[in-house]
């Protein structure tokens, strides 16, 4: 590893942002007095909300947003064209204001969001702005929760919920305008909805579609939704770009490639701090582990720097000396620590934010003048040959690099330091492949089959997925008995699985639970698989040892993580059911969670999910426990629960090899996750797992359970001819 600090070359002539007009002047907003308001963090995996104008009346706040001046333009274009492609930066107000503008002219609006948090927070914000009760004029429907009536005018919902509404109303006659928000993420559901809405738009000429994105190839979207006749040059889609106030950004590249971009990031922060005028720094790294590594280095420097500043007024470069505050920003960070990133710092204290790509388009952080781009990010990638989804660190695209640099030009002239050469930048791909091209498609194909789309090869995907991924998804569905040899949904299992808002393997477990006589137990296990972070992670010192002992003594079992999660849920339910009064119940549950080092919010979410699933399974599907002879408890019951789990997870089995690691059925090289309760015991010969996590060059199995080899032959003989 080289110890030499990165050396940057001078920026090239053309700078990023903003657009110049014919006179050579920088274009700003039509009304230069309007400032960019920083609104809800609508599209990150966190639930941060930041608004610099929170002290002003709501109507004034709305008028401060850049989108306000475009209101009439948006409504005019939407009246003239069927589809409006709306491109606007994060924080310009498009997520909260555009649905209101459309509703105010008489439309019944549905707004889709990629995540549950965004749905709920945006619905609350819009209801507050309109002075309405949540659930009346403005409502939401997300995952297992809903707050709306049939007359609700603006409904925020996750993409999956809208897809399910198509089961009952294929042409979505209950809405006159659909707003697809945050399209730049190009998730599986986003691509499917775009394909389906294109079909619906051909049938319903009066349906208006707004495709909203922070950054995206607008021409690609315009061409995709354009239903006009090419010969007559009549377009049905149009692009509108909203530009907020931006400033020029100087882009610097390293003269030579860096050996370690995490170390180079820390070195560049120090170099900026000691040689550049005051302004906050945003550095992009790929993961929590890298952020914490850089954080350790910079905190040591910050302590020394802040101590020396008591005796000096400037650095050797002549720049005024300032204190340094280093803050992390990643998805699993607790809320109170996320908020610190957005709060105004003390006088003469420079903030350094170390962030994942959440801060690329999802969060607008005030005060950023300098951006450090490591040139890498983490992307999930499904390998149909191995049958597992891995997180891999890969180079960003030119599109990502431009977006990252744009974070620096919000408050003043900015600088972007790229930790790669200009020649390497030119070699980067233009954009990242959409999730459709690099993920497991089994769940998606099941939904399309349920909608009556049988010829999947002819479906109008915006970006067609690889044939291998399609084939792998169909093979999984066939193995789970969701589809027959002809590719049609099976009456007994397939239709039920399609109605459950779960991954196919979890849905199959629930559908089989009646036959194994363990409906309640499997409901609890599946509910726990839908949440993350059951055990408190922010534990240090002696508490860390105590938390480990509490978990081992109260919940861990040799059968594995899935049975451990069942034990956690059962223990929590007992505490929850002892109190009738809601306040006392909440107090008792929080006290128990604190004592057991369990996350209270996560457990409450699991209870909500279980309640919703129970209603579907018992009331709608009428699945009941099959009666078994003899005493139905102890070992016999637990074996049936485990066999039921295997009936869904059998495609994800792995066996221990002589080399000391596990092999998946399709040949993937796997390891036990350090978070698993099986990590500290003798390694079992056969296991099944619900998910995997990739770190470095290793793939770790998570949510594991030990099994017997014979169970695979007994439960899935069609899948395992011999082992």
């Amino acid at each position: 590893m080289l110890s030499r600090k990165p050396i940057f070359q001078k920026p090239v002539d053309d700078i990023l942002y903003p657009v110049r007009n014919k006179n050579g002047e920088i274009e700003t907003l039509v009304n230069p007095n309007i400032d960019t308001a920083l609104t809800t963090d609508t599209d990150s995996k966190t639930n941060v909300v930041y608004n610099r104008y929170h002290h002003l009346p709501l109507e004034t706040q709305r008028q401060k947003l850049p989108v306000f001046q475009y209101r009439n333009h948006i409504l005019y274009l939407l009246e003239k064209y069927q589809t409006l492609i709306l491109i606007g930066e994060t924080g310009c107000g498009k997520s909260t204001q555009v649905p209101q503008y459309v509703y105010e002219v008489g439309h019944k609006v549905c707004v889709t969001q990629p995540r549950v948090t965004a749905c709920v927070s945006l619905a609350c914000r819009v209801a507050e702005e309109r002075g309405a009760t949540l659930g009346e004029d403005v409502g939401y429907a997300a995952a297992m929760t809903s707050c709306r009536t049939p007359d609700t005018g603006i409904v925020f919902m996750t993409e999956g919920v809208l897809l399910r509404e198509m089961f009952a109303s294929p042409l979505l006659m209950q809405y006159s305008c659909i707003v697809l928000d945050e399209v730049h993420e190009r998730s599986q559901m986003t691509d499917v909805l775009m394909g389906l809405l294109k079909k619906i738009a051909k049938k319903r000429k009066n349906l208006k579609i707004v495709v909203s994105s922070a950054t995206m190839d607008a021409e690609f979207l315009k061409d995709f939704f354009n239903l006009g006749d090419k010969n007559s040059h009549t377009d049905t889609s149009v692009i509108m770009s909203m530009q907020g106030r931006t400033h020029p950004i100087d882009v610097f590249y390293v003269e030579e490639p860096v050996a370690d971009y995490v170390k180079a990031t820390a070195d560049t922060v120090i170099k900026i701090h000691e040689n550049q005028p005051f302004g906050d720094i945003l550095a992009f790294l790929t993961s929590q582990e890298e952020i914490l590594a850089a954080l350790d280095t910079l905190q040591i420097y910050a302590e020394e720097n802040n101590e020396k500043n008591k005796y000096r007024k400037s650095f050797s470069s002549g720049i005024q000396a300032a204190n340094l505050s280093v803050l992390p920003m990643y998805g699993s960070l607790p809320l109170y620590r996320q908020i610190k990133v957005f709060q105004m710092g003390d006088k003469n204290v420079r903030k350094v934010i170390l962030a994942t790509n959440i801060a690329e388009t999802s969060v607008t952080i005030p005060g950023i003048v300098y951006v450090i781009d490591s040139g890498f990010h983490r992307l999930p990638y499904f390998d149909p040959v191995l049958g597992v989804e891995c997180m891999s660190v890969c180079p960003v695209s030119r599109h990502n690099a431009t977006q990252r640099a744009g974070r620096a030009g919000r408050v003043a002239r900015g600088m972007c330091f790229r930790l790669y050469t200009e020649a390497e930048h030119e070699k980067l791909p233009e954009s990242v492949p959409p999730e459709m091209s690099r993920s497991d498609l089994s769940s998606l194909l099941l939904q399309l089959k349920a909608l009556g789309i049988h010829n999947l090869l002819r479906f109008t995907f915006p970006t067609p997925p690889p044939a291998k991924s399609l084939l792998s998804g169909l093979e999984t569905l066939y193995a789970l008995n969701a589809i027959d040899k002809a590719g049609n949904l099976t009456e007994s299992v397939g239709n039920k699985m399609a109605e459950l808002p779960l991954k196919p393997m979890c849905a199959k477990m629930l559908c089989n639970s009646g036959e194994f006589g363990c409906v309640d137990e499997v409901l609890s296990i599946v509910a726990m698989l839908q949440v993350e972070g059951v055990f408190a992670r922010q534990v240090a010192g002696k508490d860390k040892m105590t938390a480990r002992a509490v978990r081992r003594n109260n919940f861990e079992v040799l059968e594995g993580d899935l049975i451990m999660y069942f034990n956690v849920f059962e223990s929590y339910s007992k505490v929850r059911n002892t109190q009738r009064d809601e306040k006392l119940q909440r107090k008792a549950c929080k006290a128990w969670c604190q004592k057991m080092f369990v996350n209270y919010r996560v457990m409450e979410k699991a209870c909500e999910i279980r309640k919703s699933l129970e209603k579907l399974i018992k009331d709608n599907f009428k699945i009941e426990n099959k009666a078994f002879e003899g005493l139905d408890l102890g070992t016999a019951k637990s074996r049936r629960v485990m066999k039921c789990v295997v009936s869904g997870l059998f495609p994800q089995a792995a066996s221990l090899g002589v080399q000391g690691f596990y092999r998946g059925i399709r040949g993937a090289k796997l390891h036990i996750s350090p978070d698993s309760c099986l990590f500290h015991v003798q390694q079992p010969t056969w296991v099944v797992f619900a998910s995997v996590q990739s770190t470095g060059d290793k793939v770790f199995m998570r949510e594991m359970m030990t099994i017997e080899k014979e169970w695979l032959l007994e439960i899935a003989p069609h899948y395992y001819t011999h082992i």
Side-chain angles (χ1 to χ4, degrees):
M1 184 184 297
L2 298 175
S3 59
R4 185 172 66 249
K5 293 183 179 180
I7 301 170
F8 292 90
Q9 62 191 31
K10 289 183 179 180
V12 290
D13 294 335
D14 47 16
I15 53 175
L16 284 177
Y17 298 112
V19 177
R20 295 176 181 272
N21 60 24
K22 292 179 181 179
N23 300 325
E25 297 174 352
I26 293 171
E27 291 184 356
T28 57
L29 294 169
V30 176
N31 179 355
N33 296 319
I34 294 179
D35 233 347
T36 300
L38 305 171
T39 53
T40 51
D41 166 21
T42 58
D43 52 358
S44 75
K45 293 183 179 178
T46 69
N47 54 356
V48 173
V49 177
Y50 177 82
N51 179 7
R52 70 160 22 145
Y53 296 122
H54 59 86
H55 60 286
L56 297 177
L58 288 171
E59 192 57 37
T60 309
Q61 290 183 38
R62 290 185 67 188
Q63 292 174 10
K64 286 277 187 183
L65 293 165
V67 70
F68 178 72
Q69 62 187 297
Y70 297 105
R71 182 183 188 276
N72 292 338
H73 301 283
I74 291 168
L75 295 177
Y76 168 76
L77 290 173
L78 204 56
E79 186 178 338
K80 191 175 180 183
Y81 296 90
Q82 187 173 11
T83 304
L84 170 62
I85 315 300
L86 196 61
I87 308 297
E89 65 186 22
T90 304
C92 71
K94 62 186 182 300
S95 297
T96 55
Q97 304 308 304
V98 173
Q100 293 186 67
Y101 299 158
V102 178
Y103 172 65
E104 285 162 5
V105 295
H107 285 283
K108 191 168 181 184
V109 191
C110 165
V111 190
T112 67
Q113 290 290 332
R115 279 177 278 278
V116 175
T117 303
C119 274
V120 179
S121 60
L122 285 174
C124 292
R125 173 67 186 182
V126 172
E128 186 184 359
E129 286 184 1
R130 301 197 65 78
T133 304
L134 186 64
E136 294 180 0
D137 286 349
V138 183
Y140 66 85
M144 307 284 181
T145 58
S146 178
C147 180
R148 59 171 171 167
T149 66
D151 299 321
T152 301
I154 304 174
V155 184
F156 288 86
M157 60 175 63
T158 50
E159 293 158 337
V161 172
L162 183 61
L163 191 64
R164 288 176 190 287
E165 289 204 357
M166 291 183 189
F167 291 168
S169 176
L171 294 178
L172 296 175
M173 299 301 291
Q174 64 271 41
Y175 304 111
S176 58
C177 180
I178 308 288
V179 180
L180 280 180
D181 202 6
E182 309 305 347
V183 173
H184 60 266
E185 294 198 10
R186 292 297 300 275
S187 65
Q188 269 190 16
M189 284 295 180
T190 303
D191 277 23
V192 170
L193 282 181
M194 285 200 285
L196 291 169
L197 286 175
K198 183 176 181 178
K199 285 179 175 290
I200 294 171
K202 289 176 182 177
K203 298 282 185 182
R204 285 186 63 192
K205 299 298 183 185
N206 61 340
L207 176 69
K208 300 296 182 181
I209 301 171
V210 180
V211 182
S212 171
S213 172
T215 166
M216 185 70 187
D217 185 352
E219 286 295 334
F220 166 77
L221 290 172
K222 179 179 180 289
D223 293 341
F224 180 75
F225 280 102
N226 190 9
L227 307 175
D229 187 0
K230 292 182 181 180
N231 297 324
S232 60
H233 303 289
T234 54
D235 291 340
T236 63
S237 59
V238 65
I239 300 168
M240 179 177 173
S241 180
M242 296 184 298
Q243 213 166 2
R245 179 181 295 176
T246 54
H247 299 268
I249 301 161
D250 295 318
V251 181
F252 296 81
Y253 296 90
V254 291
E255 290 186 347
E256 295 180 2
V258 297
D260 180 351
Y261 63 81
V262 178
K263 182 180 180 299
T265 297
D267 290 340
T268 307
V269 167
I270 295 168
K271 185 181 285 188
I272 292 170
H273 182 60
E274 295 182 352
N275 295 279
Q276 296 295 339
F278 191 81
D280 293 342
I281 303 168
L282 172 62
F284 287 97
L285 293 169
T286 69
S287 64
Q288 179 181 337
E289 291 79 11
E290 290 180 1
I291 287 172
L292 295 178
L295 188 66
D296 290 341
T297 304
L298 288 171
Q299 278 181 332
I300 294 169
Y301 169 79
E303 288 170 8
E304 293 174 356
N305 171 80
N306 297 352
E307 185 64 31
K308 288 178 181 177
N309 284 349
K310 294 177 182 178
Y311 312 104
R312 67 183 175 190
K313 289 188 177 179
S314 63
F315 294 111
S316 56
S317 62
I319 295 294
Q320 182 182 345
N323 286 351
L324 204 63
S325 172
V326 189
L327 302 168
M329 181 67 181
Y330 49 85
S332 59
L333 200 66
L335 178 62
Y336 73 93
R337 293 187 67 187
Q338 293 171 3
I339 293 294
K340 288 182 180 179
V341 170
F342 301 95
Q343 292 172 341
M344 295 294 291
D346 296 331
K347 188 177 179 182
N348 205 36
V349 176
R350 190 199 298 262
K351 276 194 304 186
V352 177
I353 295 122
L354 304 173
T356 59
N357 55 355
I358 280 177
E360 193 175 300
T361 58
S362 305
V363 180
T364 304
I365 302 170
I368 299 298
V369 178
Y370 307 99
V371 164
I372 301 169
D373 180 6
S374 64
F376 292 92
H377 59 177
R378 296 185 83 184
L379 286 178
Y381 167 68
F382 177 75
D383 189 340
V385 177
L386 299 180
V388 294
E389 188 172 78
C390 306
M391 293 292 290
S392 56
V393 176
C394 52
V396 297
S397 65
R398 290 201 298 273
H399 188 80
N400 294 126
T402 303
Q403 188 65 25
R404 287 181 173 188
R407 304 283 101 186
R410 297 300 175 86
V411 292
R413 188 184 186 104
M415 291 184 179
C416 175
F417 296 84
R418 290 176 173 163
L419 301 179
Y420 45 94
T421 63
E422 191 169 7
E424 286 301 317
H425 178 264
E426 295 305 315
K427 294 177 186 176
L428 293 175
E430 188 174 346
S431 59
V432 172
E435 189 183 351
M436 180 72 71
S437 304
R438 49 183 173 82
S439 58
D440 181 13
L441 301 180
S442 57
S443 184
L444 180 70
L445 298 177
L446 184 64
Q447 301 294 326
L448 290 176
K449 287 283 184 184
L451 284 169
I453 297 167
H454 300 299
N455 193 346
L456 298 170
L457 296 175
R458 289 290 186 91
F459 183 72
T460 52
F461 290 110
T463 305
K468 279 187 178 179
S469 296
L470 275 172
L471 187 60
S472 175
L474 289 170
E475 283 177 350
T476 301
L477 293 179
Y478 181 67
L480 293 171
N481 195 31
I483 58 175
D484 56 24
K485 288 183 179 180
N488 300 316
L489 284 181
T490 55
E491 288 290 332
S492 56
V493 179
N495 287 320
K496 291 176 183 175
M497 285 173 62
E499 284 190 50
L500 289 166
L502 301 167
K503 289 184 177 179
M505 292 181 189
C506 288
K508 181 64 184 296
M509 272 189 246
L510 281 177
C511 292
N512 286 353
S513 59
E515 295 178 22
F516 289 93
C518 54
V519 174
D520 293 313
E521 289 81 3
V522 174
L523 274 169
S524 301
I525 291 171
V526 170
M528 291 293 280
L529 284 175
Q530 308 314 306
V531 295
E532 288 188 3
V534 174
F535 294 102
R537 289 188 177 182
Q538 303 299 323
V539 182
K542 290 182 179 178
D543 285 346
K544 194 170 185 179
M545 297 294 290
T546 308
R548 178 78 190 122
V550 166
R551 176 178 150 175
R552 184 177 61 248
N553 296 334
N554 292 281
F555 309 120
E556 289 188 2
V557 286
L558 291 173
E559 285 81 5
D561 304 321
L562 298 184
I563 307 302
M564 177 184 71
Y565 287 144
F566 171 71
N567 292 339
V568 174
F569 190 89
E570 286 297 293
S571 301
Y572 183 78
S573 297
K574 285 177 184 176
V575 176
R576 202 168 187 262
N577 296 333
T578 51
Q579 299 288 347
R580 295 288 181 92
D581 183 73
E582 192 175 332
K583 287 185 179 179
L584 292 174
Q585 183 190 85
R586 194 182 302 118
K587 187 178 179 181
C589 289
K590 284 185 176 179
W592 182 87
C593 287
Q594 193 171 5
K595 181 183 175 183
M596 296 296 176
F597 296 92
V598 170
N599 193 320
Y600 168 72
R601 287 186 180 180
V602 169
M603 293 308 300
E604 280 296 302
K605 183 66 180 175
C607 289
E608 284 180 31
I609 292 171
R610 190 191 186 284
K611 189 177 178 182
S612 300
L613 290 174
E614 187 175 16
K615 190 175 179 182
L616 273 170
I617 290 294
K618 293 185 177 179
D619 297 349
N620 292 21
F621 298 167
K622 307 294 182 187
I623 294 178
E624 296 179 353
N625 282 327
K626 181 181 174 183
F628 286 85
E629 295 180 2
L631 290 172
D632 194 21
L633 42 84
T635 308
K637 184 68 175 280
S638 63
R639 283 175 70 86
R640 288 208 309 277
V641 172
M642 293 170 73
K643 282 186 176 183
C644 184
V645 170
V646 173
S647 73
L649 292 180
F650 66 82
Q652 295 187 167
S655 60
L656 182 64
V658 292
Q659 301 92 340
F661 55 81
Y662 286 83
R663 279 285 182 195
I665 296 306
R666 296 183 186 178
K669 186 178 176 181
L670 304 165
H671 301 267
I672 296 178
S673 170
D675 292 333
S676 172
C677 65
L678 297 176
F679 186 74
H680 298 287
V681 300
Q682 185 177 349
Q683 291 180 306
T685 308
W686 282 87
V687 295
V688 289
F689 56 92
S691 65
V692 294
Q693 183 179 24
S694 178
T695 305
D697 58 345
K698 288 187 176 181
V699 179
F700 294 101
M701 297 178 286
R702 299 173 69 238
E703 288 112 23
M704 300 167 61
M705 189 184 77
T706 61
I707 62 168
E708 295 176 15
K709 182 173 72 172
E710 291 72 23
W711 293 355
L712 297 173
L713 295 169
E714 177 190 337
I715 294 166
H718 58 289
Y719 200 78
Y720 297 95
T721 52
H722 62 277
I723 300 177

